[in-house]
Amino acid sequence: MNIESRLAQIGSINDPQTGAVSFPIYQSTAFRHPRLGQSTGFDYSRSKSPTRAVLEAAAADLESGDAGFATSSGMAALQIIFSLFGQGDHLLVSLDLYGGTYRLLEQVMSRFGVTASYIDTNDLDALESHRKPNTKAVLIETPTNPLMMVTDLAKVAAWAKQKGLLTIVDNTLLTPFFQRPIELGADIVVHSATKYLGGHNDVLAGLIVTKGEKLSADVAFLHNSIGAVLGPQDSWLLMRGMKTLALRMERHQYNATRLAAWLKVHPSVEEVYYPALPHHPGHEIQNSQSSGNTGIFSFKMKDARTIEPILRHIKLIAFAESLGGAESLMTYPAVQTHADIPEEIRRAVGVDDRLLRFSVGLEHVDDIMNDLKQAIEAAEKEING
């Protein structure tokens, strides 16, 4: 069955007792045992709940994995994954990385003896040169946030498997509608489901999908033990959002491609980072392993003085963190999403005081373009007198 149909049918045939097309919200935290030694399959909602179970099965199906796990946020999902590792373990991690992931690794996991090296994960020579005897996994964002660096997943996953390493892929920006890393050799896929999967800026959630019986069992143990699980109301909201994922991603992609191409030739813009554009370094790799492009991109203004007035003058576009919702949002990574990354590291990668990240929403593309156009014009007028 095509993925569009599988998305639309999430939860629609899972309640045989009532035939409910929208799977019910089971708010209960406890479940009766028929008798001693017997269970309905549900005992305590931290371990398993009916609404969350439907969501988790759908996630595993969409990502071609063996098991799915719904968590209380994307960071909670990463915490569970990082808990697979312990004292003395080392990870290879994408150089251009979401600031929250960097913070979790450097300020939390480091306390437990887990270390990380940040490198261009598309460079096998760099991966090999940074690999240590205690290296356990490769964590890849592709495309990365915010500079849209692309990694050849099949190439890196094959190398990692040869070296006995796990391949973990953050698939938040493309979703399983456009990219399925497990089919390319990854062992674990993680999502901030708050973003495109939820799609409406109204639910905080994370998802993990695993491949392999032992790995799935290990993550299930950590999911239950740590307890960072998604509640039934939020599980239902996430399923509702995912039903329209195909339609939304197509529109996000269309709008973002139009806007990125327009900004690419704008006289006030120095660079646009978006894999759909032919000039982008990862354009061909992206096209080979993904069926489409995300709705987020970044662009760098020529003059840093334009940043503050642009963010002040946008009207339809909201100056707000997060991404992937119906509404267009603009973020200033240097002081928001990537503030926890030391300045010298940020600047070395390219996340400087001229960079804006743009999560393109579902509004009419002309309205989004006109809003950004007037904001840039107002900013240029202010700084040039």
Side-chain angles (χ1 to χ4, degrees):
M1 188 182 296
N2 291 312
I3 192 168
E4 292 89 345
S5 300
R6 287 149 58 201
L7 285 163
Q9 289 290 323
I10 291 175
S12 67
I13 55 174
N14 294 80
D15 189 24
Q17 286 187 321
T18 67
V21 173
S22 177
F23 193 79
I25 300 170
Y26 285 86
Q27 199 66 52
S28 182
T29 58
F31 303 86
R32 292 179 183 271
H33 297 282
R35 61 176 57 193
L36 185 64
Q38 292 185 2
S39 170
T40 62
F42 300 97
D43 303 311
Y44 184 59
S45 61
R46 172 169 47 79
S47 301
K48 188 178 181 182
S49 72
T51 312
R52 194 178 82 234
V54 173
L55 168 63
E56 291 172 337
D61 172 64
L62 293 168
E63 284 284 10
S64 301
D66 293 328
F69 308 91
T71 66
S72 51
S73 69
M75 296 312 303
L78 284 170
Q79 175 65 72
I80 289 167
I81 292 170
F82 291 156
S83 296
L84 289 165
F85 311 109
Q87 181 71 39
D89 287 344
H90 172 254
L91 308 178
L92 299 168
V93 182
S94 290
L95 177 63
D96 178 35
L97 188 70
Y98 169 56
T101 307
Y102 181 89
R103 179 180 59 226
L104 180 59
L105 284 167
E106 293 300 315
Q107 298 184 34
V108 179
M109 296 309 300
S110 61
R111 301 177 190 177
F112 304 98
V114 177
T115 60
S117 297
Y118 303 92
I119 53 180
D120 178 358
T121 50
N122 199 47
D123 185 342
L124 287 186
D125 290 336
L127 285 168
E128 183 60 45
S129 66
H130 285 84
R131 184 174 66 89
K132 304 176 181 181
N134 57 331
T135 301
K136 301 297 182 182
V138 184
L139 171 61
I140 302 167
E141 283 187 14
T142 184
T144 60
N145 175 8
L147 294 176
M148 302 285 128
M149 296 169 67
V150 178
T151 293
D152 185 328
L153 289 175
K155 177 182 73 174
V156 176
W159 172 85
K161 184 175 183 180
Q162 184 184 42
K163 305 299 180 181
L165 310 180
L166 289 175
T167 300
I168 306 161
V169 180
D170 187 328
N171 200 31
T172 297
L173 297 190
L174 283 173
T175 81
F177 181 65
F178 280 145
Q179 178 174 269
R180 290 176 290 281
I182 287 174
E183 294 179 3
L184 298 169
D187 302 291
I188 302 176
V189 171
V190 61
H191 289 271
S192 173
T194 308
K195 312 304 193 295
Y196 287 109
L197 293 179
H200 294 80
N201 289 320
D202 59 5
V203 59
L204 185 69
L207 285 175
I208 303 167
V209 176
T210 52
K211 187 69 175 179
E213 184 176 351
K214 183 182 185 303
L215 181 60
S216 299
D218 290 345
V219 173
F221 171 79
L222 292 168
H223 190 222
N224 180 54
S225 299
I226 293 172
V229 300
L230 195 62
Q233 177 73 35
D234 286 342
S235 294
W236 184 88
L237 280 171
L238 184 52
M239 284 193 285
R240 184 180 68 169
M242 289 167 65
K243 284 175 175 284
T244 61
L245 180 66
L247 294 170
R248 290 187 288 103
M249 291 307 293
E250 293 281 10
R251 182 61 174 265
H252 282 302
Q253 174 184 226
Y254 172 79
N255 283 357
T257 302
R258 283 276 308 275
L259 290 161
W262 169 68
L263 284 170
K264 176 64 181 170
V265 297
H266 196 288
S268 298
V269 175
E270 179 176 297
E271 186 58 274
V272 177
Y273 304 92
Y274 188 50
L277 299 181
H279 81 281
H280 190 86
H283 177 72
E284 292 185 4
I285 297 173
Q286 177 86 359
N287 287 347
S288 70
Q289 67 187 16
S290 308
S291 60
N293 286 276
T294 184
I296 180 178
F297 64 85
S298 296
F299 62 99
K300 188 170 289 189
M301 299 299 294
K302 290 181 178 178
D303 192 332
R305 294 176 299 167
T306 60
I307 297 296
E308 189 280 329
I310 286 174
L311 295 173
R312 177 161 34 87
H313 284 288
I314 50 176
K315 299 173 182 177
L316 177 68
I317 304 163
F319 174 30
E321 297 189 45
S322 199
L323 59 96
E327 303 85 4
S328 290
L329 306 178
M330 190 167 289
T331 301
Y332 189 31
V335 300
Q336 291 182 298
T337 56
H338 291 65
D340 286 302
I341 298 178
E343 183 177 0
E344 63 274 16
I345 297 176
R346 281 193 289 101
R347 287 184 175 276
V349 175
V351 182
D352 60 21
D353 57 357
R354 294 181 294 137
L355 188 76
L356 289 167
R357 192 189 75 184
F358 193 4
S359 174
V360 181
L362 304 179
E363 305 93 347
H364 194 287
V365 66
D366 292 342
D367 294 329
I368 306 172
M369 188 178 296
N370 288 337
D371 186 41
L372 186 53
K373 180 180 179 182
Q374 66 82 23
I376 294 175
E377 289 175 352
E380 294 284 1
K381 186 176 180 179
E382 281 191 25
I383 67 171
N384 294 321

